[in-house]
Amino acid sequence: MEGTILVATAGQGVLRSSDDGATWSRLGLGQALEFDAVVRCLTVHPEQPEVVFAGADAGLVRSGDAGVTWHRVDSPMNDRTIWSLAIDPTHPDTMLVGTGAPSRAAMFRTTDGGESWDQLPPEIPEFCAGVNRPRILTCVVDRHEPKNMWFGVEEGGLWRSGDRGDTWERIDGTPASLPQGVTNTDVHCVVVLEGPPKTIVVAVVNALFVSHDDGATWTRTDSRKTFGIYYTRLVKQLPGTDDLLLGIGDGTPGTTTRILRSEDLGRSWQDTVLDTPANSTVWAFGTHPADPELVFAGTKYGHLLRSTDAGRSWRKEWREFSEITDVTWTPAVAPTTEGH
């Protein structure tokens, strides 16, 4: 594989490999991103593969050389922890950024590549049930209708905008008030599929919700009843398809995990094959359109898994990490530095 694998961690910043995982390099000193930083999310620019953004424990940083050097993107998030990033693939100067614990959870937007920023409504409470301080774990720009945007809060519900983020509506609810809706406020992940029919998949802590009518009604899949384990961490769309991967475990951090695959818009799921039992719940998936067959997965306790058949089977990489919070790869090759 030609390119760079990037692994975000809680405590070792971003590690990278530009030789297909044979060696790994940590960050150098004196950068905007500390070598021992907590990094919660990564995203590769859709038109410039050497450009990568990272959300860290002290704001937003940008690399122009596939993760070797990092520079601060000055913003209102400088003193906040960033948990989620989303770039509009049809207008890459537009980006959503979600913050959260231990700082205040809020949604921010730029439409000029980071030169200026707006804090968007709504105002999210400082505290919540379950995790004490909320965090925005997921934000999405609908590539098929970019005026539609989504974000989900752990814990604080599912939110949708139909005007590129200017206004937002909360669309989760209780069984009594919204019997066909998303009924859990602990939202982990949102994915929008083109279809047909257009499909929205929402992962909450213990279930999957799937809508085939643009969010008017939802079908709930109880994770424990269906998959035997409950902790529903994330779903990921495979590039160029409407196929999905699901990462689910027996808790957080968990002691076991399953990766499942759907080829019918989330209606049914099939197990994939892991060559080595993972040591904890899958926490992240990494893909890139340059090679849709190549997928990476990272676990809470640092196992890195690789698939070369679009997620049908997986093998464990030799290198283990601290807590993996996100993983991605880009076809841009990072300049070689000393491996560790």
Side-chain angles (χ1 to χ4, degrees):
M1 179 203 75
E2 185 173 284
T4 304
I5 311 166
L6 296 167
V7 176
T9 71
Q12 290 188 343
V14 178
L15 293 95
R16 70 188 180 280
S17 175
S18 54
D19 56 10
D20 203 26
T23 61
W24 292 84
S25 296
R26 296 184 68 186
L27 298 177
L29 302 181
Q31 300 196 38
L33 184 60
E34 292 290 334
F35 76 97
D36 57 357
V38 175
V39 178
R40 295 292 179 186
C41 51
L42 299 167
T43 191
V44 178
H45 193 286
E47 295 178 355
Q48 303 173 54
E50 71 281 1
V51 173
V52 185
F53 292 90
D57 48 9
L60 181 65
V61 293
R62 178 187 187 276
S63 174
D65 54 11
V68 177
T69 56
W70 297 86
H71 305 278
R72 179 172 298 281
V73 179
D74 191 41
S75 75
M77 300 87 71
N78 285 349
D79 59 350
R80 299 191 187 221
T81 296
I82 294 174
W83 285 79
S84 57
L85 301 169
I87 298 176
D88 181 348
T90 67
H91 187 266
D93 282 344
T94 296
M95 179 188 294
L96 295 178
V97 176
T99 66
S103 55
R104 188 72 177 261
M107 179 60 66
F108 296 87
R109 177 190 62 192
T110 181
T111 59
D112 55 14
E115 294 296 321
S116 63
W117 295 86
D118 297 311
Q119 182 171 341
L120 305 178
E123 183 173 336
I124 298 170
E126 184 175 2
F127 298 99
C128 65
V131 292
N132 190 41
R133 294 180 183 271
R135 63 287 309 269
I136 298 175
L137 289 187
T138 182
C139 58
V140 178
V141 179
D142 182 346
R143 67 168 55 244
H144 315 294
E145 295 182 78
K147 64 183 179 64
N148 293 335
M149 297 177 172
W150 299 78
F151 74 85
V153 190
E154 181 189 49
E155 292 189 16
L158 178 65
W159 296 81
R160 179 179 184 173
S161 173
D163 55 13
R164 293 184 177 270
D166 290 339
T167 61
W168 294 84
E169 175 189 13
R170 184 170 177 175
I171 64 169
D172 62 305
T174 65
S177 64
L178 196 60
Q180 291 182 292
V182 175
T183 56
N184 192 303
T185 64
D186 190 351
V187 179
H188 286 180
C189 198
V190 181
V191 172
V192 180
L193 305 176
E194 183 177 18
K198 185 174 183 179
T199 298
I200 303 156
V201 181
V202 176
V204 302
V205 65
N206 60 358
L208 282 175
F209 288 87
V210 178
S211 175
H212 298 300
D213 55 13
D214 206 28
T217 61
W218 300 81
T219 299
R220 182 181 187 273
T221 298
D222 183 278
S223 297
R224 192 183 297 278
K225 290 180 180 178
T226 303
F227 307 118
I229 46 181
Y230 86 96
Y231 191 77
T232 315
R233 183 61 190 181
L234 75 163
V235 287
K236 182 75 170 182
Q237 181 181 7
L238 293 168
T241 76
D242 279 335
D243 297 344
L244 293 167
L245 294 176
L246 168 64
I248 191 167
D250 62 344
T252 172
T255 58
T256 187
T257 196
R258 294 170 67 185
I259 300 175
L260 297 105
R261 201 173 186 281
S262 176
E263 298 180 358
D264 58 4
L265 302 173
R267 294 183 176 92
S268 65
W269 298 88
Q270 296 76 45
D271 261 309
T272 66
V273 179
L274 280 63
D275 73 337
T276 302
N279 64 355
S280 51
T281 297
V282 167
W283 223 240
F285 289 122
T287 63
H288 194 283
D291 186 353
E293 298 290 307
L294 179 62
V295 188
F296 290 92
T299 72
K300 177 79 167 178
Y301 277 173
H303 280 186
L304 182 63
L305 314 175
R306 179 197 299 241
S307 173
T308 56
D309 55 8
R312 294 176 177 86
S313 63
W314 302 83
R315 66 173 176 83
K316 179 182 172 296
E317 297 287 305
W318 72 270
R319 178 66 191 264
E320 296 185 6
F321 302 81
S322 59
E323 177 185 340
I324 293 178
T325 56
D326 204 356
V327 57
T328 192
W329 80 275
T330 172
V333 179
T336 301
T337 60
E338 183 182 356
H340 300 281

